[in-house]
Amino acid sequence: MSATATPPPKKVNRIGLEVMGYKGAKSTLCAGCGHNSISERIVECFFEMGISPMRVAKLSGIGCSSKSPAYFLGLSHGFNAVHGRAAAVATGAMLANRNLLGLLVAGDGDTASIGLGQFMHLLRRNLPLIYIIEDNGVYGLTKGQFSATADIGSTLKTGVANDMPPIDCCLLGIEMGATLVARSFSGDKRQLQALLKAAIAHKGLSLIDVISPCVTFNDHLGSTKSYAYMKDHDHLLHEVSFVPAYEDISIEMAEGETRDVELHDGSKIRLKKLDRDYDPTEKLNAIRAIHESAKAREVVTGLLYINPKERNFVELLNLVGEPLATLLESRTRPPKEALAQIMEELR
Amino acid sequence: MSTSQVTAVPSGEAGPENRITNDFSIQVATVNGSGSQTANTVLMRSMFQMGIPVSAKNLFPSNIAGLPTWFTIRANRHGYIARKRETDIVVAMNPETARDDVLKLSAGAVVVYDEPLKLNDLRGDLHFYPVPFDKLVAPVCPEAKLRKLVRNMIYDGVLAQLLSIDLEQIRVALYKQFGARKAKAADLNWGAVQAGREFAERSLVKTDPYQVERMDGTAGKIIIEGNAAAALGCLFAGVTVVPWYPITPSSSLIDALIAYLKRFRIDKETGQATFAVVQAEDELAAIGMVIGAGWAGARACTATSGPGISLMAEFTGLAYWVETPAVIFDVQRVGPSTGLPTRTSQGDVLKNALLSHGDTRHPMYFPSCPEECYSMAIEAFDLAERFQCPVFVMLDLDLGMNNWMSDPFPYPTEPIHRGKVLTAEDLERLGGFARYKDIDGDGVGWRTLPGTDHPAAAYFARGSGHNEKAQYSEREDDYMNNIDRLARKFENMRGHVAAPEVSRNPKASVGIVYYGTSRSAAEESRDQLRREYALQTSCLRLKSYPFTKELKDFVDLHSRVYVIDQNRDAQMLALMRLELEPEQIARLRSVRYYGGLPLDARTVTEEIVRQEGL
């Protein structure tokens, strides 16, 4: 007689799904690639927030970063677009179905070079979308050329130093109209999780620039996007945590130690003060923080800017509540009388 | 007092035997931005309202104000609506071009001109009618700064008198043009028409033979631009997402569509829209949005012209491989950037058929008139969703931006065809699906839309490297299986695109193939060839690509087949060469015109006559 062992109860989230339902295919990126950590954070956050993966549309451009959507949320539709132009595909998709939760993963090449125009206009529209830049300062898939986010003086493996000023995508985001702008580091699990969850809850364009070292082409001494450099130069703006609306937890905090930003669904981003108080609802604070840290050759990370109240693109267009994609013919084809009326006017 | 100054042509009124009724062309030469468009449209409409078949071509520069522009109106009792190469009546308002405009005329033509230009000294073989526009406009338009806009209406009054156009019809056309909201402006312009007519009656003696007479050639017809007609097609096709980027000559298609959508597709109670229009940052973004929307299940379209198509090339290829529906209106024009962006051409035929990289082919529709702009727009959306592919609707500037007579458009008889889309319920029943598997043997797989609430719904859309299950693959067999299926899908489209219109003359050994706006010139040319050269012809009008069986049959039945192209490189003929057999190709001849003006019949006739050695 053998004893039947009762398997331990499987851990499910609030919509009854296991974490397996949030995973993707096995990564084909290099071992140690920062992008793999970001994929893991995405799996955790969507699972923990109880977002149905069937609601999510994953989009990407071209490059190592853009391969990564295959490695998370396997139950979500994905679209690997052309280089730099996932922004346009995402815009079309989100207008076709406003109920989708859009997640775009792009590289620094996609965002700051070939797709810079589309990136700026995406920001301007405040499309409800999470835009993650997996920022490593190099073109990995074409074997290690500098990207437009590489810092002046940062060197390639060959010793060649970059002499062009970097494009700071967070500065663009703040200036051009993104309503949640954050910078993080793929090696900072807690911070990235909190920011991602905030982005999931935010109803406008969320831009998260994640420094994500390329272990093959840009992780050496002399690179300003290496693990070692980030460990030494990551300047935390604050400690970020996320309190979802469905978890009514109140934590006792000393007065003046924390700052809460409430999102439209009632969830809260909680910012714990470190070396100074920082108000992320002020654009000028964010711009100053970025410039100061660049001057100090540091990388400022945290929630740089948020405006939870701004109207997003779908609201601006005043679309009907149902997805445009599946409206019935009776809603999209005007009646016979309408055509007759138009014809009469043209006689 | 001025009177007409004529030397080599008979003076005094033309006798009844010499009169030319309902068969002439008028060319109005002005500078753009001078408000002449209203006067010209009113002139055309008034004859249309008298039942006379008319067509109008606006030959305008790429400029907002101050450069020469010509508006040609043709009235023809036989219903020929192609541009007439010869001008019978010129209205010379532009000092810069007046001399040239007059010197180009054939003997016996009519010149209505601004008196200070003193054009009557230039030639002795024309009918000259001087009109003191500035003197006439001053009393009817007290406000000096409006005079520039109003003075053009004077020639409508003069021509009404000279050609016997019913003044009441001018009044009706004018007030229709201005609409109820601009009644004051209409009154002002109506004053100018009357001043012109009264002057002509008082001071001009008619010596030329041209006149109009009421007939019933336009009963029930409408007047519309091809771009507006295509916009109506989109409206009644149930379009939902419209990303676009302005480019002449396609912008007015979207302008018209926006106006119609706002009128008919906004909920009156909630104010909410069943459509999204986005003015994109460039054509790359516009087509990207169309593809994203199509992937997510919307009916999406954009409109552009040749340079925009170039920018859309990469994304169009992706759409071919990912297999998303997309409708692209290409209102063709001449060439890139500066130069002739406001002149017409059929210059994108070959490019669009094969647009992008790798092995790609795309279907195209070739509307020849507004009614087809409308009906083919509706068909294009159905084809795009049925075959999950980009579809081009190939207008040109002549069709898109000029006013055309048309029969009223019929309401669609078929329901909207959304193609092969699996719902969550379907997936529950089937247990799953393979996105790119040819289940039905037609080369078209079943798709799911993002947001479908079923764990088996998702697939990953990507370029050429995927297997039937949409999984990433670089295997030789996966790639070839997929590309061969795409070829089968394209083959199957032949049974669904619009078949050509064939008119077979059993006595003819010469066939003529044409498409798009070459239609009216080709039809008229066939009559000229028969009447003037006793040459019998058959014709085939292509309505779409891929070609259908009718084309090969037609070539087989004729020993010489002339293919009319409005481009330098005989692009449609080149496309036919890719598919026809060598003995069929040997029968093809090319008739080409590429000067940027709407094609006229005489040009076609002369070229066929030359090649036939007649």
Side-chain angles (χ1 to χ4, degrees), chain A residues 52 54-60 66-67 69-70 74-83 85-98 100 114 117-119 121-122 125 313 317-322 324-327 329 331-339 341-347, chain B residues 45 48 176 220-224 232 235-238 240-241 260 263-265 270-281 284-285 288-289 291-293 295-298 314-315 318 322 324 374 378 408-412 414-416 418 448-455 457-462:
Chain A
S52 166
M54 276 85 87
R55 253 190 78 202
V56 179
K58 306 176 286 185
L59 301 117
S60 62
S66 293
K67 288 159 80 102
L75 297 184
S76 306
H77 275 74
F79 197 120
N80 201 167
V82 294
H83 196 19
R85 285 152 197 144
V89 178
T91 306
M94 298 306 294
L95 295 178
N97 185 348
R98 62 177 297 172
L100 292 175
I114 189 167
Q118 290 209 347
F119 175 60
H121 286 272
L122 181 75
R125 293 189 183 105
F313 196 44
L317 292 174
N318 201 13
L319 302 184
V320 290
E322 314 93 301
L324 296 180
T326 46
L327 287 177
E329 185 172 326
R331 304 279 303 280
T332 63
R333 174 175 278 174
K336 219 169 188 165
E337 299 71 52
L339 183 64
Q341 190 188 347
I342 296 166
M343 291 298 109
E344 197 45 49
E345 290 163 9
L346 292 166
R347 270 179 227 283
Chain B
R45 282 204 79 99
F48 168 81
K176 184 183 173 83
K221 289 192 189 293
I222 60 167
I223 289 184
I224 190 169
L232 279 174
L235 177 72
F236 286 93
T240 46
V241 178
Y260 285 130
R263 198 170 147 196
F264 293 103
R265 294 275 298 279
T270 64
Q272 290 177 328
T274 59
F275 63 88
V277 177
V278 187
Q279 186 178 323
E281 50 273 30
L284 293 101
M289 290 177 202
I291 290 165
W295 171 66
E314 185 189 18
F315 250 136
L318 184 70
V322 167
T324 56
Y374 166 79
I378 295 172
F409 306 157
Y411 193 72
E414 297 291 317
I416 288 171
R418 302 302 313 262
T448 54
L449 305 181
T452 304
D453 194 16
H454 194 280
Y459 72 95
F460 206 96
R462 49 163 73 87

Side-chain angles (χ1 to χ4, degrees), chain B residues 347-561:
Chain B
D348 299 339
V349 174
L350 198 53
K351 173 174 74 173
N352 290 10
L354 306 173
L355 192 68
S356 205
H357 42 268
D359 289 312
T360 47
R361 284 201 187 190
H362 313 288
M364 297 182 280
Y365 283 94
F366 301 104
S368 68
C369 59
E371 194 182 333
E372 285 182 348
C373 291
Y374 166 79
S375 62
M376 286 179 177
I378 295 172
E379 279 183 56
F381 280 98
D382 280 357
L383 192 83
E385 287 198 312
R386 191 187 288 272
F387 286 94
Q388 303 169 6
C389 64
V391 178
F392 292 96
V393 185
M394 309 287 285
L395 286 75
D396 60 25
L397 182 141
D398 180 18
L399 180 55
M401 290 189 74
N402 283 320
N403 270 312
W404 294 68
M405 282 191 315
S406 170
D407 285 325
F409 306 157
Y411 193 72
T413 50
E414 297 291 317
I416 288 171
H417 188 97
R418 302 302 313 262
K420 297 182 185 180
V421 178
L422 295 171
T423 61
E425 294 73 38
D426 296 330
L427 291 165
E428 193 58 33
R429 185 167 43 79
L430 297 167
F433 85 117
R435 169 69 183 94
Y436 297 109
K437 195 173 164 94
D438 188 4
I439 299 274
D440 306 316
D442 57 359
V444 184
W446 286 80
R447 64 179 183 135
T448 54
L449 305 181
T452 304
D453 194 16
H454 194 280
Y459 72 95
F460 206 96
R462 49 163 73 87
S464 52
H466 58 74
N467 62 17
E468 284 181 346
K469 293 179 180 165
Q471 291 158 331
Y472 187 80
S473 167
E474 295 182 19
R475 288 172 58 118
E476 179 188 41
D477 55 348
D478 281 338
Y479 179 76
M480 289 180 68
N481 284 341
N482 192 48
I483 197 172
D484 288 343
R485 178 184 56 78
L486 285 164
R488 282 202 305 284
K489 177 167 107 166
F490 194 73
E491 279 304 307
N492 281 332
M493 275 182 218
R494 294 183 203 272
H496 288 85
V497 294
E501 184 178 79
V502 183
S503 166
R504 168 97 177 96
N505 180 341
K507 285 182 272 180
S509 56
V510 169
I512 304 178
V513 171
Y514 52 87
Y515 60 98
T517 51
S518 298
R519 178 185 184 172
S520 38
E523 286 172 352
E524 187 178 352
S525 170
R526 287 183 68 212
D527 289 349
Q528 290 175 347
L529 289 167
R530 195 188 60 246
R531 218 168 41 231
E532 300 169 19
Y533 299 92
L535 179 69
Q536 304 281 348
T537 58
S538 302
C539 69
L540 178 144
R541 180 165 67 83
L542 289 167
K543 289 186 179 176
S544 47
Y545 175 79
F547 302 127
T548 57
K549 187 176 172 300
E550 288 87 349
L551 179 65
K552 289 184 178 181
D553 292 347
F554 183 83
V555 175
D556 285 338
L557 286 168
H558 298 89
S559 43
R560 295 177 302 288
V561 175

